[in-house]
Every structure is written in structure tokens, then in C-alpha cells.
Amino acid sequence: MEELPVTENSAAADRVTAGTAKEGRAAEEVLDLQEVADREYKYGFVTDIEADTIPPGLSEDVVRLISSRKNEPEWLLDYRLRAYKYWLTMTPPEWSFVKYPPIDYKDIIYFSAPKQKKVLESLDEVDPELLETFNKLGIPLNEQKILSGVAVDAVFDSVSVATTFKSKLAEMGIIFGSFSDAVHEHPELVKKYLGSVVPHTDNFFAALNAAVFSDGSFCYIPEGVRCPMELSTYFRINSAGTGQFERTLIVAEKGSYVSYLEGCTAPMRDENQLHAAVVELVAMEDAQIKYSTVQNWYPGDKDGVGGIYNFVTKRGACRGDRSKISWTQVETGSSITWKYPSCILQGDDSVGEFYSVALTNNYQQADTGTKMIHIGKNTKSTIVSKGISAGRGQNTYRGLVDVKKGAEGARNFSQCDSMLLGDRCGAHTFPYIEVKNPTAVVEHEATTSKIGEDQIFYCNQRGISTEDAVSMIVNGFCKQVFRELPMEFAVEAQKLLAVSLEGSVG
Amino acid sequence: MLEIKGLEARVEGTQILRGVDLSVKAGEVHAIMGPNGSGKSTLAHVLAGREEYEVTGGSVTYNGNDLFELAADERACEGLFLAFQYPVAIPGISNAYFLRTALNAVKKYRGEPQVDAVDFLTLVREKMKLVGMDEKFLQRAVNDGFSGGEKKRNEILQMAVLDPKLAILDETDSGLDIDALRIVAEGVNQLRTPERAVVIVTHYQRLLDYIIPDHVHVLSEGRIVRSGGKELAHQLEKEGYAWLETGSATAAGGA
Ligand SMILES: Nc1ncnc2c1ncn2[C@@H]1O[C@H](COP(=O)(O)OP(=O)(O)O)[C@@H](O)[C@H]1O
Ligand SMILES: [Mg+2]
């Protein structure tokens, strides 16, 4: 995403900071709530699968190598090279609220694939160790999940190794599989839409991704088709020092509908791992895309060592009239999250939604939000952001509501709520509003709250432990967002929040 | 059941309890009366385990065990219930969800099976009828926007569902009209069995018209200065607490 500068005609509003709680007794109360987690990352293990890895560093040769390893057509190599050359002219963004040591892009391994090339007929053919890993993560690549109607395209260290339900979906004309496969099987579609929402010139990380993207998901819903199941992809970062550059593209043709789930876990690492994904969504006339994320990458340990840098560009284009794109995200992992799933509301009467829960504990930092660009007439957008900060976590909401001149009757409602646990964490809100059409109605609400010692005691007195009380109160705070998640994800998200908060309250 | 000996406690450096002695046996109902600021709520909170209140002396045994060895939630799971003078609101959590979580926490502690949503609903509906609460309160956030009387009823509902061994009611009667008062009394009287005990904190005697206490105690400046039978409550009602200030406290005989 491009920079969100504080320009003169934008309203940079209420900035809320904790960490200087001067309220006397209240401050001491929260101090009691301040014992820091020393919990090991639940998913911290490394799989022993031999990876096909190229040496670290980035050059034109590496870009060519990635492309040739993947047997890519000439046009795609050209695309990568153009992006690479553009990236060389760029500098990393510095406007966000996150702090981290400069990344040495020469130290990163840009390609790694499990050594497993042949096409598989069934799960029986998959490396048992790989399956074991999926099981440890609770990834539902098993009968139960298949029976419950989830088609899983599991991306393991950048390359898809298993896809289920593909043929059933194919009968309906739905294409759902790895990005690499789509490049070979549906080059015309990929060529048409790749970079059409997030151009390679968009930002530093998007340019990097365009040059070196490894794999990801591709999804195409033909006209009038309602995808009968939630499409789900589980990402996982594995090989040490491997940057992850996922590329996802979802196209919903006229009158179609799709709900897409993305969930992630990563094993424990001491060095920081860079993740720079790009997700592009295109919704045509009357089409609807629901994109849900539960992000649980390794957040670093309690002292802030290790953890994933998650610098993602996600954007959807509501191209057709009455189209709708909803982003729902639950972000509990990563040491740094830099992410602004956005909607370009081009079509008249199109709708954009952003529902977000971002939790930062220990030394985690999150700078996340959305951009709603109103272009078409009577376009509507809703933003609901819930930020939870614990430990020394820093949580920033950064959002832009941009109503262009022609957007007659545009409407936006934004609600940004922050919850603080303890007084060493921080919550910050940067809502930017630019309105060029006088008929637009833009509303913004923001609140900041703390979990009080008296609430905890009240719960304790009814037999509820402090940890359960905190997770109950936090879940209540997030209800508005969880409601937007598909059922099984909502349950998972609640558990995740509880795990992420364990030990954050004394 | 509850044996309090020489209990001293302070808040923020101020000594509030200065040697409380009190013995509550199973099957008994005790009333603690006393002027505002005498330390009644402090005593209730110390017993419930609020950490803000620092115990500086004395001992409390509960069912033969040292009460101070238990954390607040463990005390609750051991059957100690406090109906708060000022119940706390928890926005975003429905009353039903809160109460089921509490009930299941207590059950888990006792090694009893968890109550599912259907069984819980049956149970809570029955208890709501008992305390005269509309079912719409199940979906409302805990005490959020409740009137004073509604909060007090909600405390009694929680007490009825959690079925405590020792219930401490801190001014549950204040701010209640006569009907609500009867309901609270009804709830307490239901708990009046040989295995349970109730401690009622109040500074009016009107609740005691409905719940006849076995013992009445007067707390003043952090000490129990007088104990007696139910007639003591009537005497206090007539004479007020003024006599306490005459320094005749020590002359007053205990029960
Ligand atoms: N949290 C607190 N901080 C400071 N003072 C307190 C606190 N709680 C109680 N007190 C003081 O302790 C004394 C006893 O209060 P309390 O136990 O509430 O009395 P009662 O319930 O008998 O009216 C009062 O003087 C009150 O102001
Ligand atoms: Mg009181």
C-alpha cells in the first residue's frame, strides 16, 4: 500500500497513548495485571523435510532462477524483472509506527520448496512427516475436515503440496489451486489480473513480492456461481531464514460469491523472518468476496527476540456495480504486523467492509487498518477495528477514508476501539479522512478502555480464574468482529486470543 | 464453618479492621450491622480475597482450612459467595455466558461434570422466576446499564445458581423496594439449610423482618462491639448507633 501521509486536508485525529498512566491508584491496579507471559510458542517446532533451497541474496540471476525453477513463461519472468528493477530504486517505508532494525535483503533466501515434485493423487502419497506437521498444527487436511466441507490448499514452504476438492469445484467451473498451477493452466486469467489491483510499483514490499513471489493461491469464480464451501488455505513458514512471498489472486465474476479463509502458524525461530505477501481481489458486478484471516505466526519470545515480520499488501477492487468485498482479520501473531487490507469502491453502490482484531503482547507491534477509496456513487464502507495491547505491545490503527469527487452519496462508518491490559503497552489511532464530495457522510467513533481490577475480582469471586476472566472480557470486546468470521474460525479465533494472552495478567 | 480471630486489615495504609472476632456455624444466619464506614464492606472483601485489602493480623479458618491460603477464585469454588454492595459491570459479556462460565468453573474445581447450554438454560430460567427477573436479562451484558435494584437481583440470581455454602450479602437490601426486598429474603431463606450459612451485612433492620437472624453483631471502627440475638436489631433501629459513641461499647455484653 502506498504511504499515508498526514496531509493538510486530512484529519489526523485522536492519538491515544498509554504507558504514562498517571491516574494514581488505577496505575497500580494495572501494574498488578502486568506479569509477563513466559509461555513457549505452542506451534514452535521445525519439520525435518529436506528443502530445495537456493543460496541467500537477491539479484537479477536469483529472479531468473526462481522463474526457471518454476518453469514460468516468458511474460511472467518479464513481469518479475520489471518489478525487481523498480524495487532497486525504492526504499523501505518509514511512516508506520513500528520499529525494527533494518532488514538485510542480502541475507534472505528467496526460494525454498519441499523436495517433492510429482503430482499427488491422494493424501496417502504425501510425505508422512509433512502430514504429521499438519496434524500438530491441527490443520484439517483430514477426513473430518473434508467431510465438514472445507477444501484445503495447503501451502507448505511456498509450494502447494496438496489440494482437495479441486475436482468437485472444477465441475462448477471454479478454479481453486496454487498460483503456480494457475500460471500454467490458466495463463490468460493470471496475465489479465496479476498486478491489476496492487501494481508492482505500489510499495516497497509489493515490488519485492512481485519480483520474487514463490507461490500462493489462485481462485476464480465464474459468472453466477456461488461457491458452495469455504475455501481455505493454511500457510506455514518452515525453512530457517526463508522469506515468504506469497501471491494470492481471487477473481469473482458477475453475480458470484466466495468466502475465503486464510490461517497461518509458523515454527519458532530466533532470527526474524520476513513475510511480504500480496493479495489481490477483484469483484465484478453483483459479486461478493468475503476474505477472512486468522494470523498466528511466531510473535517472538517474551523478550521480543525472534518472530515474523509480516508486511502484507492486501487490496480488493469492487469493479462492478453493487459488488461487495469484506475483509475480516484476527491478527495475534508476528512480531511486527504492517497490513492494511483495503477496498477500491469503483462500482456504483459497491460496499467495502473491514473487521479487525489485532492483539499485541510482550514486544509485539502492529500497525494495521484499512483504506476505503470511494469512487462510485452511493458507495458504502464500514470499518470496525478492535485493538488489544498487553505487555509492552504497541497497537496502531491507521485508516484512510477517501471520498473522491464523483462519489455522490458515499457513506462511511468507522469504529476503532482499543483495550489496554497493563500500563506499559500502547494504543494509537490515526484515522485519516479525505472528503472531496459534499454529499458524503463520514462517521468516526473511537474508545479506549482498560480491564479493571474490580472486573477481574468480580469474576474471581464467581469462581472464574484471572486468565479465564481476561480472555472472556477480551472475547466480549471482539464479539463484533468474530461474528463476521465463519463458524469454525470464530471458535479458533477465540482460543487463539486466550492462548496469546496467557500469562499477560498476574 | 467460619472462624474469624483478631482480624486486622488495612487499605492504602489506613487501618480499617482492628481485631474482628466472629464465629459462624453451619445452619446459622448472622447479621452484621453498623454505621457507614465502620468496615463492613472491608470485612466482606477481605473474606472474599480482594488483594487491595492487606491483612495485617489475625486468622480466618473456613471449613477448617486457612482461608488466606486460597486465592479469590478458589474461595468462590469452595463455596464462598459475596453479593457485592456495588456489583461491577462487564460490558460485552452476556449475563447468561458469564453465569454459565462461573458455574462451570466451580463444577470443574469440584470435579463435577460441566453443564451444557441447554441444561444451564433450564436451571437459570427456574432461578430467574424465583428472583422475579425477566429472561431478557440473560442476553444483557453483566450489570451493564442495570438499575440499582436490577443489579441486586442479579446478585441474588447468581447466588441461587452457584448454590454457595457460605453467602455474604453486602447491603443487598439498600435501594430495594419492598417487593424486591421480599425476593432477596426469599432467595436467602432458600439457602437456609443445616449445611449452609449466611452473613448479612446491612445497616437497616428492615431486611431482618424477612430474614430472621440467629445472631446480630454491631461493627464499629473495625471491631465487633456488641453481639446479641434478633432483638439487638430492633434496639438499634430504635436507638440508632449514637450509644456507640458514648464509649460504653466494652460494657455491652456479647451473646
Ligand atoms: N479501596 C479503598 N480505598 C481507601 N479507603 C477505603 C477503601 N475501601 C474502604 N475504605 C475506607 O475504609 C473505611 C471502611 O469502609 P467500608 O468497609 O466500605 O465501610 P462500610 O461498608 O461499613 O460502610 C471507610 O472509611 C472507607 O472510606
Ligand atoms: Mg459497605
Side-chain angles (χ1 to χ4, degrees):
Chain A
M1 100 167 229
E2 69 199 50
E3 207 165 303
L4 285 174
V6 187
T7 56
E8 237 123 66
N9 56 349
S10 70
D14 53 336
R15 177 162 176 266
V16 189
T17 314
T20 54
K22 298 186 198 85
E23 307 102 305
R25 221 180 90 213
E28 270 166 51
E29 278 182 19
V30 270
L31 261 180
D32 289 340
L33 290 172
Q34 193 73 68
E35 266 141 58
V36 183
D38 54 358
R39 195 165 193 289
E40 298 283 297
Y41 180 63
K42 198 172 140 207
Y43 301 132
F45 50 84
V46 179
T47 309
D48 233 356
I49 290 174
E50 234 186 299
D52 172 13
T53 301
I54 63 173
L58 187 51
S59 65
E60 195 173 313
D61 285 345
V62 168
V63 175
R64 286 179 188 283
L65 194 67
I66 292 169
S67 192
S68 78
R69 285 284 173 97
K70 296 166 79 65
N71 287 318
E72 284 176 356
E74 195 64 25
W75 62 264
L76 193 50
L77 173 63
D78 288 347
Y79 178 81
R80 287 179 181 277
L81 289 173
R82 249 180 299 150
Y84 173 66
K85 281 176 189 139
Y86 193 82
W87 178 75
L88 287 176
T89 69
M90 302 178 86
T91 49
E94 276 164 6
W95 46 263
S96 72
F97 212 73
V98 298
K99 291 183 188 64
Y100 57 94
I103 297 168
D104 190 346
Y105 294 89
K106 289 196 283 298
D107 271 358
I108 293 169
I109 296 167
Y110 288 88
F111 184 77
S112 162
K115 274 191 175 155
Q116 189 182 29
K117 295 272 156 59
K118 63 179 173 20
V119 181
L120 303 173
E121 293 296 317
S122 79
L123 288 181
D124 303 342
E125 296 178 39
V126 176
D127 185 331
E129 195 162 351
L130 204 61
L131 291 177
E132 177 77 7
T133 306
F134 287 138
N135 285 335
K136 268 194 232 168
L137 287 169
I139 290 179
L141 240 190
N142 50 37
E143 293 300 317
Q144 305 159 29
K145 203 71 188 190
I146 292 166
L147 287 172
S148 70
V150 178
V152 178
D153 171 26
V155 174
F156 185 84
D157 247 27
S158 322
V159 170
S160 296
V161 290
T163 303
T164 51
F165 269 78
K166 211 170 163 177
S167 59
K168 189 172 174 214
L169 293 171
E171 278 168 31
M172 306 179 78
I174 295 170
I175 304 165
F176 175 51
S178 77
F179 199 91
S180 308
D181 286 350
V183 165
H184 294 110
E185 289 161 24
H186 308 281
E188 69 300 337
L189 286 174
V190 175
K191 210 168 166 177
K192 184 170 171 191
Y193 292 105
L194 175 69
S196 75
V197 187
V198 180
H200 69 270
T201 53
D202 192 80
N203 68 69
F204 183 83
F205 298 111
L208 180 63
N209 177 287
V212 302
F213 68 84
S214 32
D215 209 339
S217 291
F218 176 81
C219 178
Y220 178 84
I221 317 291
E223 190 173 327
V225 171
R226 192 181 166 90
C227 186
M229 62 190 85
E230 318 271 1
L231 299 182
S232 150
T233 301
Y234 280 78
F235 294 91
R236 179 164 164 78
I237 300 174
N238 196 45
S239 294
T242 307
Q244 283 276 302
F245 303 96
E246 305 289 345
R247 187 89 199 186
T248 293
L249 176 57
I250 299 175
V251 179
E253 290 286 10
K254 211 168 152 178
S256 67
Y257 168 88
V258 64
S259 169
Y260 185 89
L261 318 182
E262 175 202 297
C264 339
T265 55
M268 185 180 291
R269 284 291 168 213
D270 279 332
E271 70 229 79
N272 288 297
Q273 288 184 305
L274 174 65
H275 184 96
V278 171
V279 175
E280 296 179 279
L281 311 182
V282 179
M284 308 308 278
E285 231 173 275
D286 295 301
Q288 196 179 331
I289 302 176
K290 200 170 158 52
Y291 192 105
S292 313
T293 307
V294 171
Q295 188 264 114
N296 181 29
W297 285 331
Y298 181 51
D301 67 13
K302 63 179 175 11
D303 300 317
V305 178
I308 303 294
Y309 288 177
N310 187 22
F311 300 145
V312 187
T313 307
K314 287 183 168 173
R315 193 174 304 156
C318 284
R319 297 243 161 102
D321 293 350
R322 296 169 305 279
S323 56
K324 178 175 174 182
I325 289 178
S326 308
W327 298 100
T328 306
Q329 61 175 24
V330 177
E331 306 278 328
T332 62
S334 298
S335 60
I336 300 176
T337 299
W338 180 99
K339 177 179 176 189
Y340 316 88
S342 303
C343 296
I344 301 166
L345 303 170
Q346 271 168 281
D348 290 348
D349 300 294
S350 60
V351 177
E353 293 176 338
F354 174 73
Y355 297 95
S356 171
V357 166
L359 180 149
T360 52
N361 196 0
N362 299 320
Y363 285 84
Q364 280 178 279
Q365 309 173 64
D367 194 308
T368 185
T370 184
K371 290 201 291 187
M372 293 292 176
I373 317 287
H374 292 257
I375 298 168
K377 292 188 180 56
N378 300 315
T379 45
K380 262 199 296 204
S381 63
T382 303
I383 298 171
V384 177
S385 163
K386 304 279 181 175
I388 302 142
S389 318
R392 292 172 191 271
Q394 292 294 326
N395 215 314
T396 302
Y397 168 80
R398 187 185 303 275
L400 170 66
V401 176
D402 186 359
V403 179
K404 302 291 190 198
K405 216 167 174 171
E408 287 286 311
R411 296 204 56 149
N412 162 266
F413 173 74
S414 302
Q415 184 187 338
C416 302
D417 298 324
S418 307
M419 183 173 264
L420 302 168
L421 282 81
D423 66 349
R424 289 183 298 180
C425 51
H428 319 272
T429 310
F430 299 101
Y432 303 89
I433 299 165
E434 289 184 35
V435 177
K436 303 244 168 57
N437 185 305
T439 63
V441 181
V442 176
E443 293 169 78
H444 179 87
E445 283 175 13
T447 65
T448 301
S449 55
K450 284 185 179 180
I451 297 186
E453 192 75 36
D454 55 343
Q455 289 175 321
I456 301 285
F457 180 66
Y458 191 72
C459 295
N460 286 163
Q461 214 305 304
R462 298 302 183 246
I464 302 167
S465 72
T466 299
E467 275 190 357
D468 288 350
V470 169
S471 96
M472 181 175 75
I473 293 169
V474 168
N475 276 317
F477 175 72
C478 299
K479 211 156 57 182
Q480 237 179 317
V481 173
F482 288 167
R483 234 181 5 221
E484 300 297 323
L485 288 171
M487 195 54 178
E488 66 266 41
F489 248 34
V491 174
E492 227 166 89
Q494 286 199 24
K495 283 190 198 142
L496 194 55
L497 234 51
V499 169
S500 307
L501 279 171
E502 258 174 46
S504 66
V505 177
Chain B
M1 172 171 278
L2 186 71
E3 205 64 52
I4 305 175
K5 284 198 183 120
L7 182 62
E8 295 172 18
R10 64 174 169 210
V11 190
E12 311 231 310
T14 311
Q15 199 69 36
I16 311 287
L17 301 183
R18 303 157 190 270
V20 174
D21 295 293
L22 181 69
S23 169
V24 178
K25 295 189 181 64
E28 293 179 346
V29 173
H30 289 241
I32 297 179
M33 305 184 72
N36 276 328
S38 58
K40 301 183 299 294
S41 293
T42 302
L43 176 62
H45 279 105
V46 167
L47 294 176
R50 177 128 202 193
E51 279 171 16
E52 229 181 315
Y53 295 81
E54 188 197 347
V55 175
T56 52
S59 67
V60 179
T61 54
Y62 173 61
N63 290 329
N65 300 312
D66 181 357
L67 185 70
F68 299 138
E69 289 291 303
L70 301 172
D73 53 328
E74 293 169 327
R75 295 181 199 187
C77 291
E78 290 285 351
L80 190 151
F81 181 91
L82 170 62
F84 286 71
Q85 183 175 5
Y86 303 109
V88 181
I90 311 178
I93 311 293
S94 77
N95 232 354
Y97 185 79
F98 176 76
L99 197 45
R100 184 151 79 94
T101 305
L103 181 62
N104 278 331
V106 171
K107 296 240 176 221
K108 188 174 167 198
Y109 181 89
R110 296 180 186 163
E112 292 168 17
Q114 300 286 286
V115 176
D116 67 22
V118 178
D119 288 347
F120 174 75
L121 210 59
T122 315
L123 173 74
V124 78
R125 279 194 176 133
E126 176 199 317
K127 303 292 184 189
M128 284 183 107
K129 231 175 261 162
L130 200 78
V131 301
M133 259 174 102
D134 194 287
E135 274 188 29
K136 69 170 192 267
F137 283 97
L138 282 177
Q139 292 322 314
R140 297 236 338 234
V142 181
N143 295 325
D144 198 17
F146 285 27
S147 74
E150 287 164 351
K151 283 183 189 169
K152 297 299 173 79
R153 276 186 209 222
N154 202 28
E155 295 291 288
I156 297 303
L157 172 68
Q158 294 180 22
M159 182 178 81
V161 169
L162 295 174
D163 191 24
K165 291 196 186 82
L166 173 65
I168 303 167
L169 282 71
D170 191 2
E171 309 237 6
T172 304
D173 53 339
S174 52
L176 293 188
D177 57 29
I178 256 337
D179 289 340
L181 209 59
R182 273 205 196 99
I183 282 162
V184 169
E186 182 66 22
V188 171
N189 286 329
Q190 294 253 338
L191 284 181
R192 258 186 131 151
T193 64
E195 318 77 65
R196 298 195 184 88
V198 180
V199 175
I200 297 167
V201 172
T202 179
H203 62 253
Y204 308 105
Q205 76 89 39
R206 56 176 197 156
L207 178 65
L208 305 180
D209 289 340
Y210 301 96
I211 309 167
I212 314 294
D214 301 300
H215 301 278
V216 176
H217 312 273
V218 179
L219 189 69
S220 175
E221 291 175 0
R223 277 192 201 95
I224 293 204
V225 294
R226 194 154 165 195
S227 297
K230 63 173 193 286
E231 66 293 339
L232 179 57
H234 290 285
Q235 189 193 337
L236 290 169
E237 179 80 349
K238 258 186 265 143
E239 298 170 19
Y241 297 107
W243 56 273
L244 291 172
E245 277 139 37
T246 65
S248 61
T250 42

